[in-house]
Structure formats: structure tokens, C-alpha cells
Amino acid sequence: MTQKQDKTRVTVEIRNRSYTIVGDEDASHVRLVASLVDQKMREIHEMNPQLDTASLAVLTAINSMNDYLSLKEDYASLLGSIKKERG
């Protein structure tokens, strides 16, 4: 039987609303992620102040996943370049 680790509980604030996040990550990591989500939501809201919260959340998720996929593609390309150099 594997030993069950304690989950970390962290309360964060995103767009002036509190959320309790439960997970395996360190509290500082969870706070960083929440801060980045809050920042991205504020940036999008500044450009589109008419958006409701649900639409704002969806656009934030789409933008974040786009950024993630771009970085993932860049990483794969970089790994490919390194493998070619090593022969």
C-alpha cells in the first residue's frame, strides 16, 4: 500500500474573489499560479470590459492554453535541435 500524502490547502484571491485550492503542489507554487491567472484575467478585462465573468474565464483559459502549447512546441523544437547536434 502506498502512503497517502497530505494535500496542501491554499486560499488565493482571483479578481477579488477567494478560492481554496487543494492539491499536491507547494503553497508558494499555487499562489504564483493564482497570481498569474489573476493578472491574465485583468489584462483581458482591460481590453474587453463588457465581458461577464464566465466569458472572461473562458478567454483566460484559451489564452493560457495557447501560451502553453506555443511553449510546448518551442520546447519540442529545441529538443529536436539538440538531438540533431548530438548526432
Side-chain angles (χ1 to χ4, degrees), residues 14-66:
I14 299 172
R15 301 245 326 127
N16 302 319
R17 189 165 172 195
S18 293
Y19 297 89
T20 300
I21 310 296
V22 180
D24 297 324
E25 300 292 341
D26 289 337
S28 61
H29 179 80
V30 174
R31 284 188 198 97
L32 174 60
V33 170
S35 174
L36 293 170
V37 168
D38 184 61
Q39 179 182 346
K40 181 64 86 173
M41 288 183 81
R42 289 180 190 285
E43 288 171 10
I44 293 170
H45 184 258
E46 282 181 23
M47 293 183 286
N48 304 285
Q50 76 285 359
L51 291 175
D52 61 36
T53 302
S55 297
L56 182 58
V58 169
L59 279 177
T60 301
I62 289 170
N63 276 271
S64 297
M65 286 308 299
N66 182 59

